[in-house]
Amino acid sequence: MSATPPPPGTAVNRATGAVTRPGDWAAGAVTRPGTPYPPMAGGAGAPQPPPAAGPPGDPPPSDNRRLWWFGGAAAAVLAVGLAAVLALVLSGNPDPFRTPPPPEDVRPPLAQLCAGATPTASEPPPPADPGPALPDPTGPRTVDPDAGISYTSYGEPWQPWRAVWNAGSLQVPYKVGQHFVTEAQYNGFSDYHASILSAAVPVADNDALTVDLECIGRQVAADVRAEYYPQPNRADLIRDERTAIGGRPAWLTVFRLHFTQPGLQATDELVAVACIDVGRPTAAVLFLSIPGTHRHLDWMVEDLYASVRVE
């Protein structure tokens, strides 16, 4: 069955179903006991909202400034490091973090070999006794301007040396002296010689005039034995000492070398090597060799070195 609608001019309370006619007081909804009234905005005694807070975890302003300082310092260090690496790369170094190799030693071989024993300025080597004043030389002379010495020129069978012989591992450049052939084409194509040869050999840097004559003299003599003669060989040492030659400090080594070489009659040779300090970055080397087939010329060792003068 359908509900009968209320008469016109009346109002129906949906919550209670009561009908209100014109002129009646309308009542609002009744609250339950204990239900608090909602606070009125801006009313007196109304609780105030808590102060607004920033995002959780924000540091105070002083901490912000400290972080900016640390960040700026780290950025500056990074920029400097990047600039240094860039400069190294642009310089052409393919591996800027690898330790560079030591510089190449460009000193002369003898300066390298004798560097550890070079006397210091506070400990100079003992000077050789120059002996009595030397008389002026007489007779023909061989002059070696590169070596800075001159010495006696001998007659027949000796002939002037007219070649450049870079001998041994030290590459001593013999350009001046005398020689003669003792055995022609002993192996079918080579000649064997007696020789008197001189050369200048670098022994120090350009600004160093103090040299270790003992080390230099022994190195040159060892090079002569190892590089100029057949191997193996045996040496009888006769002299190996500091002396004075031409009034200058020198180291003189004299030995008789024994060896064999197919086709060669000589089986021994008298060898003398003098290294003379001539006051230059180079030392004068004076080399004498007398094959055993010509022992009657052994007297020339003493005569030759006594005739030396420093030019």
Side-chain angles (χ1 to χ4, degrees):
M1 146 178 211
S2 58
T4 303
T10 62
V12 179
N13 190 324
R14 294 178 180 275
T16 60
V19 179
T20 304
R21 295 180 174 83
D24 292 341
W25 293 98
V30 179
T31 60
R32 295 185 179 86
T35 301
Y37 289 97
M40 297 182 66
Q48 299 298 317
D58 277 3
S62 61
D63 288 345
N64 280 336
R65 286 194 297 271
R66 189 175 297 111
L67 289 174
W68 275 106
W69 278 107
F70 290 157
V77 172
L78 179 61
V80 171
L82 289 175
V85 172
L86 182 61
L88 290 173
V89 171
L90 293 178
S91 68
N93 187 351
D95 190 356
F97 299 104
R98 183 179 62 185
T99 302
E104 182 182 358
D105 192 344
V106 296
R107 293 175 300 167
L110 280 172
Q112 295 180 38
L113 291 170
C114 297
T118 300
T120 62
S122 60
E123 297 179 355
D129 182 7
L134 299 174
D136 292 335
T138 59
R141 306 283 294 172
T142 298
V143 179
D144 187 340
D146 290 343
I149 59 173
S150 65
Y151 43 90
T152 294
S153 289
Y154 297 97
E156 291 289 343
W158 295 93
Q159 302 292 327
W161 177 261
R162 303 189 186 279
V164 178
W165 180 39
N166 292 305
S169 60
L170 296 178
Q171 291 291 290
V172 179
Y174 296 109
K175 296 184 288 185
V176 177
Q178 293 183 282
H179 76 110
F180 69 92
V181 175
T182 59
E183 296 182 48
Q185 299 183 351
Y186 71 92
N187 59 359
F189 54 89
S190 298
D191 296 337
Y192 202 76
H193 300 255
S195 56
I196 301 170
L197 302 174
S198 59
V201 58
V203 293
D205 295 328
N206 289 334
D207 57 351
L209 299 180
T210 301
V211 298
D212 182 2
L213 278 173
E214 179 177 353
C215 177
I216 292 167
R218 287 178 170 169
Q219 289 288 347
V220 173
D223 193 53
V224 167
R225 178 182 175 182
E227 301 289 343
Y228 298 11
Y229 292 96
Q231 302 294 325
N233 55 48
R234 176 176 60 85
D236 295 332
L237 189 61
I238 299 170
R239 294 180 65 179
D240 187 39
E241 60 188 5
R242 181 181 295 273
T243 187
I245 295 178
R248 295 290 302 175
W251 191 271
L252 178 61
T253 303
V254 183
F255 54 93
R256 185 170 293 279
L257 203 60
H258 301 270
F259 52 83
T260 58
Q261 179 81 2
L264 190 65
Q265 296 181 29
T267 58
D268 67 275
E269 185 154 317
L270 182 64
V271 181
V273 185
C275 291
I276 307 167
D277 182 353
V278 292
R280 303 179 182 181
T282 56
V285 176
L286 185 54
F287 167 65
L288 170 68
S289 64
I290 305 294
T293 53
H294 291 68
R295 288 198 177 202
H296 62 282
L297 298 177
D298 286 356
W299 59 270
M300 294 182 64
V301 172
E302 296 296 331
D303 188 77
L304 174 68
Y305 292 112
S307 73
V308 172
R309 299 292 183 271
V310 175
E311 298 293 321

